Amino acid sequence: MDHYAAAPGGSPGSAPPAALTPRETEVLVQVARGRSNAEIARELSLSPATVKDHVAVILRKLNVRDRVQAAIAAYETGLVRPGVR
């Protein structure tokens, strides 16, 4: 993962992919850090159902099939960097 994340294609602080809203971007960052919906809900003061809805919208906007692909997109765009928690 670190190898692919270090590849050209984005830089830290790049614009969020696919015109995500600020809240969707926050959720994507948490997804990329490997957090569960329950953990994200606690961290962002949301209900688990709201997090689930945000994740579904993120997957659709990024045109990816699962959380792993969404996390890869976050790394590829520089939204998340390896080793940064």
Side-chain angles (χ1 to χ4, degrees):
M1 182 79 135
D2 289 346
H3 169 74
Y4 290 105
S11 61
S14 295
L20 298 178
T21 67
R23 181 57 98 182
E24 290 164 353
T25 301
E26 288 178 315
V27 171
L28 176 57
V29 167
Q30 297 299 315
V31 167
R33 291 180 176 153
R35 304 245 165 62
S36 69
N37 285 358
E39 292 169 328
I40 296 168
R42 279 192 302 274
E43 176 74 22
L44 300 180
S45 299
L46 299 170
S47 74
T50 299
V51 172
K52 184 177 178 181
D53 290 342
H54 281 309
V55 170
V57 169
I58 291 165
L59 297 180
R60 187 176 70 245
K61 284 185 175 183
L62 296 179
N63 195 31
V64 297
R65 75 175 171 260
D66 57 33
R67 294 168 76 100
V68 173
Q69 288 185 339
I72 290 168
Y75 279 94
E76 286 178 342
T77 62
L79 187 62
V80 178
R81 294 182 315 189
V84 178
R85 297 265 174 199

